[in-house]
């Protein structure tokens, strides 16, 4: 109580979007994130002021969480995007760039914020309902009979993280592994509610990426004193303990225990543990696993009876292990272990990856547990690769709920912008009346929204090239910086790889005014497959979160900071 | 002795003016949000006036006085409160400086002004307490409408009904003032749906509203990282904990559950007990420590076996269970949910009609409840337990459901949750226009009953709810459920009613009523619609004519909330003007004696105390008050 001090008054900021300091910070944040976007994005090195670990990355989750600002306005946008990333893993940079561009566009224009908010919401509604439609032209239905599109989806994610430093064949290899691991976790034949399995990742440093692999079953640390030559029965019986077997007392309460001299409590407990060991050996258990520590004497006893002992497994592997083996964790020491608590593995083998030697547990039947061994040349790249594989796994899982993907390479954004422009031109009077603003205000608001979308698409370009949009399908194209003449034939394919340039097509630069048109549908019977795909679920949510966050930021009129 | 700070009307006006300027940023249709950070660094968003004012951490005692706690009762109107306060003070000041009270012999004009102002404030309050409700009933209510409970609950069954839009409109305009245009439609629809699910059959509407209001923390789950439109209602109850054991594998339904309040594992040694090992005592044959733990495990197995014979497969526990319990339960194919919060557990007990287990050795069939399902539910980054109750005629009179509130950031989910809770409170006040004193007492009793509801029987619990809901209502002319179009029409109508009243009084030469008072109040009221239409004066004039012809369609507001707000403003004005000196003192905060009355106060009033004592001139003697903020 003596340290009670009077509270200091709060610091207030009126109209934050008119504040130059905040605007500069917003611009800086946008530039940082823009330069990281896409496969050719520039990397950022994050290191702290006390000489800590240096992280090289272009991932939004790492970047945004390391950007700390004293300005709550910046933090508000930051946490919104980070929350999106923590739910969907993907499209964080897209959401952030779109949100910041939209704020900037509205700020630059003379449009009132309250009108901009209404129009943004209206335009977002147009986009989301279009993306949900059956005849949506920037959406691809995923076919689980072929892994082609799944691999493309995985590859788009992995190649969008240049900090992994992967060559083209390496990217393909990792993409295939990611899809393979994902498919292993989906149970083949289980009626009713399907529960997906787990991918356990084992990172191995110093090896070529191409030696990464996916194995069914689980890898655990190699136990000591395992002789190789021994022939083991098939299948092996397994017991799993979740309680400590180190000889400590289980929870007795808060009271005091008085031990009289001459009583050897330790040996009594050890005797109990050995009794347990005897029981296990009699039941012909060949693999004895404990989450915590096992008393050395018990270990010795078990080994001498030909049982393989694995201790200190850790809580993380307990659930996959009991799923794999079918064993139920035991935590009682005094009662007979029920027969159904025992589990089985088909086989054990010893595997070597670089410096690591591990015990491979193979499942008896079909199992949804698999292990992914990721190899890379150094620690930093390996960390990034690990993150990327987790993101890929998450995105692939999302496709189970909504089996769609969106065209990547900026084509979805340009297409949506063209669609919104076209759609809104047709219902100006009604929409303006509905939103309670004038028709000019409405059209201006829509234009700002579309420009923000196109600006997000344009952010994919980093090498000084220009982004173009074609006036038939409204896909995004890149005009390299070194091409002097703007001829149509040099453009090749569009961003997603679905449209090939033809002499009849017309282009215009992104963010220039063009006469609105209705994007014409593609012929779906062509054998051309898209080369770049984005996650449908993640991108849809990113779009919504970006617009909602921008709307919120535009709505903030006052900031109060508690300085206590 | 620190220097005295003599207060003058001008100081008061200045302080209130500053507050008004802040509030105006988020007032009216062009108003926006206010972002504020807590002392913990956590960011919050709000358009709620109370929140904004408390976040300012005001130091000046006068300013703190303005942060009145009236909105706890109505859940609404703190922005209008400040605006009305400022405009009233301005008018009083103008009136007082124009004609200082000459009947008293004051030695300075300042003192004379203050006396006149004080006098005016007293008269205003007296007038309002006496006449205002009747004036509202005759001058305002006829232009509005009434919403009834039936309208409201009809929303879920048939959304096509025209008249049930009423409640939704009321909620919509409330939410519009709380988070702007973008999501008010969606959220008001959601709130309507929630309330119609929670309609208790054969109960007063206020009972249902009070129930939702009391249990709101357990009834909603904030989920960040999703767009707002992902918010939804889900059947049954969400228990905000994850399974401690693998969840039920088989999807068999229904499932049987029990509620535990203590550890299943018997505690061998309580604090203070001493276990002697190896002493060769006569009482205990077994001397080894191993036998004690063996005994413990055996009794635990017995309990689990007992539960198994009862067919139980879900254990909801208020406390953490030991590893042995979890392992044995897993082996018996039961799932365990540990550390369920008391609020959620008591709601579960209430909805399921079960009895929590106190003594693990005596588990009877009446402890067992049958659930439709019990399964994991992934909401955002957390996995929770989702249970649904079986419909049983005698027990359940509602369709329990939970609200999932989604938004991109934590600040927003919190904002939406707060606004929803306030909306329920506002509805409650609309249905039950009661005096503030009655409200607070009935609330107290409700809360005290609720805290013990875990142990008491269901039936008695419900009767206490009902009895407290129909407490005698003091003098109240206003009928329940009165609403009026939003957008300043209440203020405009009352403005005209007051003018007319003043006119009729002056005609009849009623000497008891000072016409200047009603005139003053009428003018002060006009400031609110003026501020609403500040961006376009044309709208203001249009609205004025529309209100008279009652063709305004801007949403709805509750009349009784407005009435209470007006009373609170007048009370605040009076106490503001009564203070004449601020006397800063240095109180040693750790001594108990210096804050004798602090125990009964609530948080913000505690803060008010820190460092300030007011000299209160009352009947010309100086009295030191600690608790000036309390109404005498």
């Amino acid at each position: 109580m003596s340290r009670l001090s009077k509270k200091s008054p709060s610091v207030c900021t009126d109209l934050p979007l008119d504040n130059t300091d905040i605007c500069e910070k917003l611009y800086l944040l946008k530039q940082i994130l823009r330069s990281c976007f896409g496969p050719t994005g520039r990397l950022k090195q994050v290191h702290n002021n006390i000489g800590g670990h240096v992280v090289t990355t272009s991932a939004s989750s790492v970047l945004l969480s390391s950007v700390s600002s004293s300005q709550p306005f910046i933090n508000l946008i930051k946490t919104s995007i980070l929350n999106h990333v923590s739910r969907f893993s993907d499209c964080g940079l897209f959401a952030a760039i779109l949100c910041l561009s939209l704020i900037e566009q509205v700020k630059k224009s003379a449009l009132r914020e309250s009108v901009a908010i209404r129009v943004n919401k209206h335009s977002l509604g147009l986009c989301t309902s279009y993306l949900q439609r059956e005849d949506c032209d920037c959406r691809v239905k995923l076919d689980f009979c072929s892994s082609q599109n799944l691999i493309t989806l995985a590859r788009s994610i992995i190649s969008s993280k240049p900090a992994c430093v992967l060559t083209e064949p390496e990217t393909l290899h990792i993409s295939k592994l990611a899809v393979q691991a994902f498919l292993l976790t989906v149970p083949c034949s289980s009626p009713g509610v399907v529960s997906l399995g787990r991918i356990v990742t084992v990172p191995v440093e110093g090896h070529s990426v191409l030696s990464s692999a996916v194995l069914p079953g689980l890898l655990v640390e190699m136990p000591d004193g395992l002789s190789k030559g021994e022939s083991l029965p098939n299948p092996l019986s397994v017991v799993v303990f979740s309680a400590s077997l180190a000889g400590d007392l289980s929870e007795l309460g808060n009271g005091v225990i008085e031990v009289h001299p001459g009583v050897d409590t330790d040996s009594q407990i050890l005797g109990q543990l050995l009794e347990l060991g005897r029981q296990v050996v009699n039941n012909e258990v060949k693999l004895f696993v404990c989450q915590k520590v096992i008393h050395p004497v018990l270990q010795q006893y078990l080994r001498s009876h030909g049982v393989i002992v694995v201790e200190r497994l850790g809580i993380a592997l307990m659930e996959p292990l009991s799923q794999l083996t079918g064993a139920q964790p035991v935590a009682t020491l005094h009662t007979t272990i029920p027969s159904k608590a025992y589990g089985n593995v088909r086989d054990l083998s010893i595997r070597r990856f670089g410096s690591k030697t591990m015990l491979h547990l193979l499942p008896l039947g079909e199992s949804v547990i698999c292990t992914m061994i990721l190899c890379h040349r150094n620690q930093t790249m390996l960390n990034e690769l690990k993150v990327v594989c987790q993101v890929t796994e998450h995105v692939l899982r999302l496709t189970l709920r909504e089996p769609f993907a969106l065209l990547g390479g900026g084509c979805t954004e340009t297409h949506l912008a063209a669609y919104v422009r076209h759609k809104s031109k047709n219902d100006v009077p009604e929409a303006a009346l509905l939103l309670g603003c004038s028709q000019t205000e409405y059209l201006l608001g829509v234009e700002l929204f579309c420009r923000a979308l196109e600006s997000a698409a344009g952010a994919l370009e980093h090498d000084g090239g220009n982004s173009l949009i074609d006036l038939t399908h409204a896909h995004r194209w890149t005009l390299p910086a070194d091409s002097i003449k703007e001829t149509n034939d040099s453009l090749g394919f569009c961003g997603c790889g679905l449209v090939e340039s033809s002499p009849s097509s017309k282009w215009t630069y992104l963010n220039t005014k063009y006469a609105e048109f209705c994007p014409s549908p593609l012929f779906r019977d062509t054998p051309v497959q898209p080369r770049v795909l984005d996650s449908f679920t993640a991108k849809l949510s990113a779009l919504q979160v970006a617009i909602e966050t921008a709307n919120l930021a535009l709505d903030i009129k006052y900031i109060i900071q508690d300085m206590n | 002795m620190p220097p005295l700070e003599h207060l003058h009307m001008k100081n008061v006006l200045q302080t209130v003016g500053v507050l008004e300027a802040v509030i105006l940023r988020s007032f009216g249709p062009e108003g926006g949000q206010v972002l504020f950070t807590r002392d913990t660094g956590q960011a919050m968003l709000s358009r709620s006036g109370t929140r904004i004012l408390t976040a300012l951490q005001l130091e000046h005692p006068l300013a703190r006085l303005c942060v009145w706690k009236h909105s706890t009762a109505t859940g609404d109107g703190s922005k209008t409160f400040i605006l009305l306060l400022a405009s009233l003070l301005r008018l009083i000041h103008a009136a007082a400086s124009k004609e200082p009270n000459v009947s008293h012999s004051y030695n300075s004009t300042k003192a004379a002004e203050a006396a006149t102002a004080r006098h005016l404030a007293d008269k205003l309050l007296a007038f309002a307490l006496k006449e205002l409700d009747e004036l509202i009933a005759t001058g305002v209510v006829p232009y509005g409408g009434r919403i009834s409970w039936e309208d409201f609950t009809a929303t879920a069954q048939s959304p096509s009904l025209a008249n049930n839009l009423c409640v939704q409109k009321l909620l919509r305009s409330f939410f519009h003032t709380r988070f702007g245009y973008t999501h008010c439609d969606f959220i008001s629809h959601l709130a309507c749906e929630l309330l119609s699910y929670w309609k208790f059959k054969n109960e007063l509407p206020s009972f249902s509203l009070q129930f939702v209001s009391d249990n709101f923390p357990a009834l909603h789950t904030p989920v960040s990282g999703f767009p707002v439109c992902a918010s939804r209602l889900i059947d049954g109850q969400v228990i905000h904990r994850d399974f401690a054991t693998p969840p039920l594998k088989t999807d068999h339904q229904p499932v049987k559950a029990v509620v535990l309040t203590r550890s299943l594992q018997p505690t061998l040694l309580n604090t203070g007990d001493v276990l002697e090992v190896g002493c060769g005592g006569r009482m205990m044959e077994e001397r080894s420590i191993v036998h004690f733990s063996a005994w413990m495990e055996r009794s635990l197995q017995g309990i689990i076996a007992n539960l198994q014979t009862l067919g139980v497969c879900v254990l909801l526990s208020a406390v953490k269970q030991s590893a042995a319990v979890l392992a044995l339960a897993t082996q018996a194919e039961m799932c365990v949910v540990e550390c369920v919060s008391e609020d959620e557990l008591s709601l579960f007990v209430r909805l399921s009609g079960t009895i929590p287990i106190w003594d693990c050795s005596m588990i009877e069939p009446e402890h067992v409840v049958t659930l439709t399902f019990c399964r994991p539910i992934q909401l955002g980054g957390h996995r929770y337990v989702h249970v649904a109750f079986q419909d049983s005629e005698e027990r359940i009179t509602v369709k329990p459901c939970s609200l999932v509130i989604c938004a991109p950031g934590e600040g927003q989910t919190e904002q939406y949750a707060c606004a929803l809770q306030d909306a329920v409170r506002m509805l409650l006040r609309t249905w039950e226009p009661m005096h503030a004193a009655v409200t607070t007492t009935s609330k107290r009793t409700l809360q005290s009953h609720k805290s013990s509801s875990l142990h008491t029987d269901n039936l008695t619990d419900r009767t206490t709810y009902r009895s407290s809901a129909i407490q005698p209502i003091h003098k109240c002319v206003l009928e329940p459920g009165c609403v009026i179009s939003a957008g300043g029409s209440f203020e405009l109508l009352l403005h005209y009613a007051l003018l007319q009243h003043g006119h009729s009084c002056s005609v009849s030469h009623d000497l008891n009523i000072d016409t200047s008072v009603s005139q003053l109040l009428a003018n002060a009221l006009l400031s609110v619609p003026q501020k609403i239409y500040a961006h376009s004066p044309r709208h203001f004039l249009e609205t004025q004519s529309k209100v008279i012809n009652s063709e305004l369609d801007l949403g709805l507001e509750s009349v009784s909330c407005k009435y209470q707000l007006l009373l609170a403003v007048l009370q605040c004005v009076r106490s503001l003007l009564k203070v004449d000196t601020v006397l800063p003192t240095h109180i040693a905060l750790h001594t108990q004696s210096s804050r004798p009355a602090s125990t009964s106060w609530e948080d913000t009033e505690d803060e008010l105390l820190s460092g300030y004592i007011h000299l209160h001139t009352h009947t010309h003697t100086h009295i030191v008050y600690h608790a000036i903020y309390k109404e005498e």
Side-chain angles (χ1 to χ4, degrees), chain A residues 26 28-44 57-67 77-78 80-86 88-102 156-163 384 388 391 413 452-453 455-462 534 538-539 541-543 545-547 549:
Chain A
L26 281 175
L28 182 68
L29 183 65
K30 192 185 130 192
Q31 289 309 316
I32 292 174
L33 297 174
R34 254 185 99 95
S35 61
C36 291
F37 195 39
T40 58
R42 306 293 186 248
L43 303 182
K44 300 283 172 284
T57 188
S58 69
S60 59
S61 53
V62 185
L63 271 177
L64 281 172
S65 45
S66 55
V67 172
I77 295 170
K78 196 186 92 177
S80 274
I81 307 298
L82 278 176
N83 280 330
H84 162 81
V85 175
S86 65
F88 294 96
S89 301
D90 199 16
C91 298
L93 282 176
F94 166 73
I97 294 169
L98 180 59
C99 171
L100 292 168
S101 306
L102 190 56
S156 309
I157 296 161
I158 293 164
S159 64
S160 74
K161 301 287 186 293
E384 183 86 358
V388 169
V391 170
E413 288 88 335
L453 267 178
S455 148
L460 283 167
E461 183 56 54
H462 300 282
D534 284 338
K539 196 141 197 168
S541 174
L543 182 69
V545 164
I547 305 300
T549 308

Side-chain angles (χ1 to χ4, degrees), chain B residues 207-240:
Chain B
F207 174 81
S208 300
L209 288 169
Q210 188 70 57
F211 182 88
V212 173
S213 174
D214 289 345
N215 289 295
F216 197 74
L219 286 179
H220 81 279
T221 315
V223 178
S224 56
F226 289 95
V228 176
C229 55
S231 307
R232 62 196 181 272
L233 290 175
I234 46 177
D235 260 353
Q237 190 191 350
V238 175
I239 293 167
H240 297 103

Side-chain angles (χ1 to χ4, degrees), chain A residues 10 14 83 87 112 121 251-252 254 256 258 260 265 268 334-335 340 548 555 557-560 562, chain B residues 25 30 32-33 35-37 55 57 182 224 228 269 273 275 277 288-289 293 297 301 322 331 408:
Chain A
S10 303
D14 195 11
N83 280 330
R87 301 290 167 262
R112 270 187 298 156
K121 199 197 167 204
E251 299 125 45
L252 288 173
N254 295 325
V256 182
E258 272 181 17
H260 284 247
T265 315
Q268 284 171 352
H334 305 278
T335 46
K340 64 179 175 186
E548 279 184 11
D555 203 20
K557 296 286 161 68
Y558 206 83
I559 297 175
I560 303 170
D562 193 329
Chain B
R25 285 280 173 232
E30 290 285 300
Q33 314 255 8
L35 170 71
F36 50 88
T37 52
Q57 296 289 358
T182 32
S224 56
V228 176
L269 292 174
D273 290 354
L275 174 69
V277 179
S288 157
I289 187 97
S293 43
E297 273 179 18
Q301 271 185 318
S322 66
Q331 281 168 21

